[in-house]
């Protein structure tokens, strides 16, 4: 058998023509033989642990393997009169036992599982006329009816790899390609770690790892392979991050904005009507160190909704002002910009802000009138304006600062890459490109610390893991159609709350009724609630309203003039109305975990008991996944716990994919299981870069090549602050 090179296109393999190569690229980004080898199984079917029909228990989940021997089809009507296509596969196990797999309205299943196909069927066990039946099971095709594959599948020694697959590239086809690739590729050429390092961390060589991840003979082989390949993923990522950071530090000149004991920042904290939480105090101390230090601050402030991030941000901005520099804060929505602007003005008023000779603070959004905009821009350029709050309008051409000391990005996950780079680059005149401001990015979508460490590398992280005193946990209720009658009671409850001076939000997924998608529309709901809640002014805010209308509605809600607000997700982030105690979310299954958590975070911001009611399943069937999400949200108000639940449900891969623009996904790494590897590779990468900040020494040539290869977006992919 002739060898193929790792970097050769997949067409070097037998059976891969131009069309197949195209599919591999389109579906999985696979171009070279090496890319194919890095297409790892998503799990294995343990052929040694095949369950037989006899030992299944009705009502319990089971995975049954067998070959399809026949298909039967029935057409019926449901009670509601809808047509139902019912197809049943009759599947035979090696023992000769048979079971049934039924599918509803999925005629394509029969094409995907022609007679002779061997597959693993997973689902809940039922009995149907004496036969064991799995209804609507999930299916993994293991092989076609060729003798060779059949044997492999039932060889009790073997774990059968199941690959991420598509209709055109089913798992068994990928399996055949991969066994060819593993046979023919020059695996020894893929090694990139020095022997010494491998020995020290007990890592098998790359070639063996690739062979064993695709064709493990036993569990132990698989574990050793995974151990090695996870190490590769994490180590190369960490190396890239630290390498990039080292480059930044060589170029960057920090601003040095040390807090001053008698400054505005200190007086601002003293004047607050409450005491800081321990977590806020800790964060201030951490920021103080950065601000006083010589290198620019790069800090992420993670804090659950309502944990009081704005205070920390405001303080850091005032530190810039105390050092005769400017500060800017960029937020994702106009509603939020207005709110921060108003709050800042209010809390700074006693300190002499915006009075003659005091600190000047401005607002810049896309709806700022032309003349006002020109004034703000010219004051920013001349240095007459000290603090500006704005949306991405801050990034428009013509916005220049005289001397930007501190830049804050709130709800950073809502901004794109270019936008975040933009703010930082506006720090000073063009000729001072290397002078960077102290940067604070904030997010209320917490991620577990281990993950933050991986994704953000050496970006410093502060965490507000404590809510201000006196907050009461929000009571969350999930209401499904079987409890539809509780709706009326809810509206009575809303009325009662409003009569006690409280406010309520009602969130709908759509602005207007849609013909394609079922679900409540804010415009209609506004009308409906106006009729139900007679005597209570109900207002409306959504993204298609003019800015001035939005403003008016928010203002009416804030002041209590209209104590009920029907809204779309425009109010998802940041909005702070402490009197609000009820959050009703319609068609809650349409939202993700973090969105629901953010929406819920709009209540419970004062000391009153607050409630969140999730209506779900009213505009269509509630899927298992959706139910799991909603139950997770109902079960806890801890944002970190929810972030973990979200990761478990969606997998970390997606998260990394989104964050590491240009970087390859971490395919095998599991954020929880691989905690130790994350920590180990991080400190290892750190020591390598400490020794050789440019990865320039000949001894590190292979590491350098590998890091660059893995991150084909270039080193910028590691610019976590910007691309995070
Ligand atoms: P988030 O972290 O979600 O941005 P905010 O900064 O909007 O939270 O703060 C939420 C609410 O809590 C605000 O009304 C704020 O004034 C208040 N708050 C902040 N810190 C404290 C504190 N230490 N004690 C009491 N209330 C606080
Ligand atoms: Mg906030």
């Amino acid at each position: 058998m002739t060898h193929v090179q790792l970097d050769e296109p997949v067409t070097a393999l037998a059976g891969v023509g131009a069309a197949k190569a195209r599919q591999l690229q389109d579906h999985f980004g696979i171009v070279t033989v090496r890319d194919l080898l890095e297409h790892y199984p998503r799990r294995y079917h343990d052929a040694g642990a095949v369950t037989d029909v006899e030992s299944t228990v009705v009502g319990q989940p089971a995975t049954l393997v067998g070959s399809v021997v026949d298909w039967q089809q029935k057409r019926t009507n449901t009670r509601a009169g809808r047509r139902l296509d019912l197809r049943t596969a009759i599947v035979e196990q090696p023992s000769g036992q048979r079971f049934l797999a039924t599918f509803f309205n999925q005629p394509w299943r029969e094409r995907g599982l022609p007679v002779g196909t061997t597959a693993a069927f997973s689902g809940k066990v039922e009995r149907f006329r004496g036969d064991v039946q799995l209804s609507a099971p999930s299916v993994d095709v293991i092989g076609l009816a060729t003798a060779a594959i059949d044997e492999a599948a039932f060889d009790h020694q073997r774990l059968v790899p199941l690959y991420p697959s598509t209709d055109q590239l089913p798992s068994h086809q990928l399996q055949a390609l991969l066994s060819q690739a593993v046979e023919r590729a020059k695996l020894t050429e893929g090694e990139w770690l020095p022997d010494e390092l491998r020995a020290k961390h007990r890592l098998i060589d790359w070639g063996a790892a690739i062979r064993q991840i695709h064709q493990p003979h036993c569990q132990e082989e698989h574990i050793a392979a995974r151990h090695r390949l996870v190490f590769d993923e994490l180590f190369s990522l960490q190396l890239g991050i630290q390498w990039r950071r080292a480059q930044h530090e060589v170029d960057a000149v920090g601003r040095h904005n040390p807090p001053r004991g008698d400054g505005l920042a200190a007086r601002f904290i003293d004047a607050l009507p409450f005491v800081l939480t321990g977590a806020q105090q800790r964060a201030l101390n951490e920021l103080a160190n950065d601000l006083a230090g010589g290198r620019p601050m790069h800090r992420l402030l993670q804090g659950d909704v309502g944990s009081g991030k704005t205070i920390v941000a405001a303080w850091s901005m005032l530190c810039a002002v105390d050092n005769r520099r400017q500060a800017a804060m960029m937020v994702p929505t106009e509603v939020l910009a207005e709110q921060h602007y108003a709050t800042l003005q209010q809390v700074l008023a006693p300190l002499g802000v915006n009075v003659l000779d005091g600190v000047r603070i401005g607002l810049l959004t896309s709806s700022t009138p032309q003349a006002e905009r020109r004034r703000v821009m010219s004051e920013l350029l001349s240095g007459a304006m000290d603090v500006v709050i704005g949306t991405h309008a801050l990034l428009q051409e013509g916005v220049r600062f005289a001397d930007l000391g501190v830049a804050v990005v709130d709800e950073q996950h809502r901004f794109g890459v270019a936008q975040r780079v933009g703010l930082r680059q506006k720090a000073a005149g063009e000729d001072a490109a290397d002078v960077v401001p102290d940067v604070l990015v904030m997010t209320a979508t917490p991620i577990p610390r281990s993950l933050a460490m991986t994704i953000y590398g050496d970006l410093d992280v502060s965490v507000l893991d404590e809510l201000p005193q006196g907050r009461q946990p929000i009571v969350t209720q999930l209401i499904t159609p079987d409890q539809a009658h509780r709706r009326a009671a809810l509206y009575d409850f809303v009325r009662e709350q409003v009569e006690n001076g409280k406010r309520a939000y009602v969130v709908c997924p759509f602005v207007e009724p849609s013909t394609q998608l079922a679900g409540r529309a804010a415009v209609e709901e506004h009308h409906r609630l106006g009729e139900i809640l007679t005597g209570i002014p109900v207002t409306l805010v959504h993204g298609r309203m003019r800015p001035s209308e939005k403003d008016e509605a928010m203002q009416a809600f804030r002041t209590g003039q209209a104590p009920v607000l029907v809204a779309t997700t425009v109010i998802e982030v940041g909005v702070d109305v402490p009197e609000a105690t009820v959050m009703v979310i319609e068609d809650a299954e349409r939202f993700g975990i973090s969105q629901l958590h953010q929406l819920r975070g709009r209540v419970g911001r004062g000391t009153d008991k607050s409630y969140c009611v999730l209506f779900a399943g009213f505009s269509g069937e509630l899927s298992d996944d959706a139910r799991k999400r909603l139950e997770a949200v109902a079960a806890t108000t801890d944002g970190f716990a929810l972030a973990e639940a979200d990761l478990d449900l969606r997998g970390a891969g997606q998260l990394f994919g989104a964050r590491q623009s240009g970087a390859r996904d971490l395919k095998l790494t599991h954020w929880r299981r691989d905690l130790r590897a994350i920590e180990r590779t991080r400190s290892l990468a750190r020591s390598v870069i400490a020794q050789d900040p440019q990865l320039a020494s000949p001894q590190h040539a292979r590491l350098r090549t590998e890091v660059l290869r893995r991150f084909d977006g270039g080193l910028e992919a590691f610019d976590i602050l910007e691309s995070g």
Side-chain angles (χ1 to χ4, degrees):
M1 200 173 272
T2 52
H3 276 306
V4 293
Q5 305 292 326
L6 291 175
D7 293 327
E8 261 183 278
V10 277
T11 43
L13 298 169
V16 183
K20 198 52 39 186
R22 163 104 286 164
Q23 284 174 359
L24 284 164
Q25 177 163 14
D26 290 350
H27 297 204
F28 301 115
I30 294 170
V31 178
T32 65
V33 171
R34 179 175 199 137
D35 296 337
L36 180 66
L37 290 168
E38 288 178 352
H39 188 71
Y40 306 127
R42 91 193 131 72
R43 59 195 185 86
Y44 301 84
H45 174 68
D46 187 350
V50 178
T51 334
D52 57 24
V53 169
E54 290 294 281
S55 57
T56 57
V57 181
V58 173
Q60 293 294 310
T63 296
L64 298 174
V65 176
S67 302
V68 177
V69 291
D70 196 12
W71 277 94
Q72 286 171 357
Q73 184 189 346
K74 229 200 272 176
R75 278 182 206 281
T76 50
N77 287 323
T78 63
R79 249 177 293 160
R82 267 193 297 170
R83 303 252 289 163
L84 197 65
D85 173 305
L86 178 70
R87 288 184 198 220
T88 304
I90 298 164
V91 190
E92 189 172 284
Q93 298 204 298
S95 60
Q97 298 273 3
R98 290 184 171 194
F99 64 92
L100 310 176
T102 53
F103 302 93
F104 307 95
N105 290 335
Q106 297 183 333
W108 49 271
R109 287 286 188 185
E110 187 170 347
R111 287 194 301 281
L113 293 165
V115 168
T117 313
T118 302
F121 300 82
S122 310
K124 209 191 259 171
V125 176
E126 296 166 4
R127 282 255 165 206
F128 181 72
R129 294 193 185 142
D131 286 323
V132 165
Q133 170 173 286
L134 301 176
S135 107
S138 65
V139 182
D140 287 305
V141 174
I142 295 173
L144 299 175
T146 65
I149 295 175
D150 253 1
E151 227 166 80
F154 294 106
D155 173 352
H156 283 213
Q157 291 301 299
R158 239 187 100 167
L159 296 168
V160 181
L162 299 171
Y163 290 96
S165 57
T166 62
D167 277 355
Q168 286 170 344
L169 292 166
S171 181
H172 58 88
Q173 198 177 95
L174 288 159
Q175 189 192 334
L177 272 182
L178 270 152
S179 41
Q180 187 193 157
V182 167
E183 271 334 298
R184 295 179 57 196
K186 286 196 169 163
L187 294 179
T188 46
E189 311 218 320
E191 186 54 75
W192 66 289
L193 296 177
D195 292 347
E196 221 182 305
L197 190 145
R198 280 206 293 114
K200 188 160 161 228
H201 294 271
R202 287 196 234 119
L203 300 164
I204 60 174
D205 68 73
W206 186 80
I210 287 291
R211 183 182 290 279
Q212 292 177 25
I213 200 86
H214 292 291
Q215 301 167 352
H217 287 288
C218 57
Q219 203 57 35
E220 288 66 35
E221 282 197 1
H222 168 250
I223 290 168
R226 191 180 172 281
H227 178 66
R228 162 68 208 248
L229 296 171
V230 164
F231 185 96
D232 283 16
E233 289 183 350
L234 289 169
F235 186 47
S236 59
L237 174 65
Q238 303 283 4
L239 266 181
I241 290 170
Q242 314 259 358
W243 183 10
R244 181 64 181 168
R245 180 128 202 229
Q247 289 188 343
H248 267 313
E249 277 170 14
V250 169
D251 300 341
V253 181
R255 282 312 222 193
H256 197 60
N257 293 302
R260 305 188 183 277
D262 56 346
L264 268 175
R267 279 166 28 224
F268 160 70
I269 297 291
D270 286 343
L272 288 175
F274 42 72
V275 287
L276 295 181
T277 64
Q280 282 172 320
Q281 189 57 59
R282 257 195 317 279
L284 288 199
N285 295 342
E286 287 163 359
L287 263 77
N289 272 333
D290 295 353
L291 292 166
R295 25 171 265 205
M297 173 165 84
H298 282 217
R299 188 168 286 275
L300 170 73
L301 179 62
Q302 286 202 82
D304 209 342
V305 276
S307 58
K309 292 183 291 296
T310 317
I311 303 290
V312 177
W315 177 83
S316 72
M317 295 199 288
L318 291 176
C319 286
V321 178
D322 282 336
N323 286 282
R324 311 221 166 290
R325 296 208 176 85
Q326 294 164 297
M329 183 181 206
M330 186 164 74
V331 303
T333 64
E334 252 170 56
V335 169
L336 197 48
E338 302 263 359
Q339 174 188 295
H340 279 331
Y341 177 65
T343 322
L344 275 186
Q345 270 189 321
Q346 194 191 330
V347 294
L348 295 180
L351 309 179
V353 173
N354 268 14
V355 297
L356 211 57
D357 297 329
V359 175
R360 290 186 69 82
I361 163 167
L363 174 70
L364 193 70
T365 71
S366 40
S367 58
T368 306
Q370 197 62 40
E372 173 68 4
R373 172 183 312 219
R374 265 201 298 275
R375 184 184 67 82
V376 171
M377 279 165 42
S378 91
E379 289 191 13
L380 287 176
L381 184 62
S382 72
M385 181 168 284
D386 302 286
V387 177
V388 66
I389 313 290
T391 55
H392 53 268
L394 283 174
L395 300 175
Q396 68 191 302
E397 209 158 318
V399 177
R400 286 270 153 211
F401 293 86
D403 190 2
L404 182 61
V406 170
V408 180
V409 182
D410 194 13
E411 311 289 351
Q412 61 115 16
H413 56 284
R414 303 273 296 227
F415 288 100
V417 178
Q419 292 174 321
R420 266 168 278 151
V421 186
L423 186 59
R424 193 169 172 195
Q425 281 169 349
K426 286 193 176 281
E430 269 118 49
D431 43 322
D434 286 347
V435 185
V436 291
D438 285 320
V439 176
L440 177 68
V441 295
M442 309 203 290
T443 180
T445 305
I447 50 175
R449 208 179 244 284
S450 67
L451 206 54
M453 255 161 55
T454 317
I455 298 178
Y456 298 109
D458 260 7
L459 176 69
D460 303 300
V461 181
S462 293
V463 180
L464 297 186
D465 51 4
E466 199 179 325
L467 292 180
Q469 278 214 325
R471 298 277 171 82
Q472 301 193 43
I474 304 167
V475 176
T476 308
Q477 290 252 298
L478 174 60
I479 298 188
T480 45
D482 48 320
Q483 306 157 357
H485 59 279
R486 299 180 68 186
R487 197 178 264 286
L490 170 68
Y491 295 136
D492 288 344
F493 181 69
V494 167
R495 180 181 291 279
E496 192 184 296
Q497 291 281 310
V498 165
E499 279 163 4
N500 285 319
K502 308 299 188 302
R503 320 232 204 292
Y505 294 95
V506 178
V507 173
C508 300
F510 303 109
V511 175
E512 279 170 54
S514 146
T515 45
Q516 276 100 43
L517 300 165
R520 292 204 177 215
V523 173
E524 283 185 342
E525 189 68 6
H526 176 226
H527 188 71
R528 212 176 65 85
L529 284 181
E531 288 180 352
I532 295 175
L533 299 169
T534 40
I536 299 177
V538 179
T539 186
L540 170 71
V541 66
H542 60 71
R544 285 195 216 148
M545 284 164 50
R546 266 185 286 130
S548 60
E549 293 174 326
K550 271 193 252 180
D551 226 33
E552 226 169 87
M554 285 309 299
Q555 208 47 35
F557 182 64
R558 227 182 267 289
T559 58
Q561 236 176 320
V564 176
L565 176 68
V566 177
T568 55
T569 52
V570 288
I571 57 130
E572 179 184 328
V573 290
V575 173
D576 185 38
V577 178
E579 294 83 1
T581 54
V582 184
M583 167 61 68
V584 178
I585 304 177
E586 297 287 351
D587 302 314
E589 70 272 23
R590 291 207 164 270
F591 303 104
I593 286 186
S594 79
Q595 244 184 334
L596 291 169
H597 180 59
Q598 290 277 340
L599 284 169
R600 176 171 58 184
R602 296 314 111 216
V603 298
R605 299 173 82 83
T607 47
D608 297 308
K609 193 156 190 69
S610 293
Y611 306 84
C612 174
V613 181
L614 307 170
F615 282 101
F618 287 85
S619 325
E621 204 154 318
L622 197 55
S623 72
D624 282 352
D625 274 359
R627 187 180 283 274
K628 275 190 205 141
R629 286 203 304 273
L630 294 165
E631 280 168 357
V633 172
T636 179
T637 51
D638 176 347
F640 285 86
L642 281 174
E644 295 191 359
D646 204 11
L647 282 167
D648 283 340
L649 288 173
R650 285 188 312 150
Q654 243 177 334
L655 198 125
F656 284 110
R659 273 171 205 274
Q660 300 291 324
S661 55
R664 308 238 172 151
D665 284 352
L666 297 186
K667 292 178 179 163
L668 288 173
T669 304
H670 184 271
W671 68 273
R672 204 203 303 262
R673 206 185 323 161
D674 298 313
L675 259 182
R676 290 209 25 223
I678 290 172
E679 280 159 24
R680 191 140 35 90
T681 51
R682 183 177 187 237
S683 66
L684 189 61
R686 192 185 265 173
S687 69
V688 170
I689 297 296
Q691 252 176 49
D692 181 8
Q694 299 304 315
L695 275 188
S697 92
Q699 168 203 354
H700 291 141
R702 288 224 65 167
L703 296 190
R704 184 191 179 101
T705 317
E706 182 65 10
V707 170
L708 289 173
R709 185 189 72 79
R710 281 178 180 253
F711 298 89
D712 42 13
L715 262 198
E716 284 66 34
F718 293 109
D719 241 334
I720 302 304
L721 240 192
E722 289 83 2
S723 66

